[in-house]
């Protein structure tokens, strides 16, 4: 039997970003529009099938599980002593604050603003472009836990379940579906 748990995780949108080209960084906007099943309107990664160039080269018919990329601003704060990185520069569409994105399990649903709903599909797996942007940044966004397991800190990926506009200042609420 499936159950839905309304999570206690709440956060806020700090910045929203998009780029109509396949650039590493995305420009900040006053708002972005999420389109159901597609992603961010006007963003190069919009679509039902994969848009990341390496994945397109492998199989262009794969579903796009990376429609919206989120990074927590706390990571930017953590990096500020060694790297000058601001919202949108690591390719995220939504920069958040106050919600531990990395602890959200796959399939967690996030309600953003008045109508937008997204579902977590997994952690972002940073690629070599991150070091091309800022040398040494790849090492800074990867870590190891006490057991030696890799920790990816570069945010999460998601798909759009319900469209809507997202603005800086919008609230974020979570739910998690689980089976007993």
């Amino acid at each position: 039997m499936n159950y839905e748990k309304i999570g206690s995780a709440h956060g806020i949108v700090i910045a929203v970003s998009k780029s109509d080209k396949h650039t590493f960084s995305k420009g900040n906007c006053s708002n972005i529009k999420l389109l159901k099943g597609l992603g961010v309107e006007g963003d190069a990664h919009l679509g039902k099938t994969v848009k990341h160039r390496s994945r397109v080269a492998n199989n262009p018919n794969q579903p796009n599980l990376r429609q919206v990329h989120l990074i927590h601003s706390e990571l930017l704060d953590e990096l500020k002593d060694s790297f000058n990185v601001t919202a949108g520069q690591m390719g995220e569409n939504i920069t958040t604050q106050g919600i531990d994105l990395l602890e959200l399990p796959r399939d967690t649903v996030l309600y953003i603003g008045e109508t937008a709903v997204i579902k977590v599909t997994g952690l972002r797996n940073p690629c070599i472009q991150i070091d091309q942007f800022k040398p040494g940044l790849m090492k800074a966004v990867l870590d190891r836990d006490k057991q030696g397991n890799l920790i990816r800190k570069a945010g999460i990926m998601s798909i759009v379940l319900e469209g809507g506009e997202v603005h800086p200042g919008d609230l974020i609420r979570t739910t998690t579906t689980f089976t007993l």
Side-chain angles (χ1 to χ4, degrees):
M1 206 177 243
N2 285 337
Y3 293 89
E4 189 173 272
K5 175 185 175 189
I6 303 296
S8 60
H10 289 80
I12 190 167
V13 174
I14 297 301
V16 293
S17 311
K18 68 180 179 178
S19 175
D20 62 355
K21 295 181 177 37
H22 283 280
T23 57
F24 182 74
S25 297
K26 297 180 185 286
N28 295 147
C29 309
S30 60
N31 66 74
I32 56 173
K33 186 174 183 180
L34 302 186
L35 302 176
K36 183 178 180 174
L38 297 172
V40 179
E41 183 177 64
D43 193 82
H45 296 104
L46 178 78
K48 290 184 182 208
T49 57
V50 293
K51 301 302 174 197
H52 287 75
R53 288 183 273 186
S54 63
R55 292 178 186 269
V56 168
N58 186 35
N59 177 358
N61 300 314
Q62 296 177 70
N64 186 2
L65 302 178
R66 299 167 163 234
Q67 295 174 359
V68 183
H69 174 205
L70 295 88
I71 285 184
H72 48 296
S73 65
E74 291 83 356
L75 175 63
L76 304 180
D77 293 341
E78 178 185 325
L79 297 171
K80 72 180 174 186
D81 290 339
S82 301
F83 302 93
N84 181 22
V85 181
T86 60
Q89 286 189 316
M90 287 204 297
E92 76 274 16
N93 300 109
I94 300 175
T95 310
T96 67
Q97 184 178 58
I99 187 167
D100 191 348
L101 297 176
L102 304 181
E103 291 298 318
L104 298 177
R106 180 176 281 130
D107 296 330
T108 296
V109 175
L110 294 121
Y111 297 84
I112 306 174
E114 292 185 27
T115 60
V117 182
I118 63 175
K119 181 169 74 168
V120 176
T121 57
L123 294 173
R124 176 187 186 196
N125 191 17
C127 68
I128 192 67
Q129 288 182 2
I130 204 164
D131 268 346
Q132 293 167 351
F133 170 64
K134 299 270 185 183
L137 188 55
M138 173 79 92
K139 184 176 180 186
V141 298
L142 296 174
D143 205 352
R144 299 266 176 196
D145 66 16
K146 292 179 182 180
Q147 293 76 36
N149 299 310
L150 185 64
I151 300 172
R152 293 175 180 88
K153 301 188 292 185
I156 62 172
M157 306 308 289
S158 64
I159 59 172
V160 181
L161 299 180
E162 293 296 333
E165 285 194 8
V166 178
H167 307 82
D170 281 350
L171 294 178
I172 304 168
R173 303 175 328 279
T174 68
T175 64
T176 304
T177 302
F178 60 95
T179 304
L180 289 179

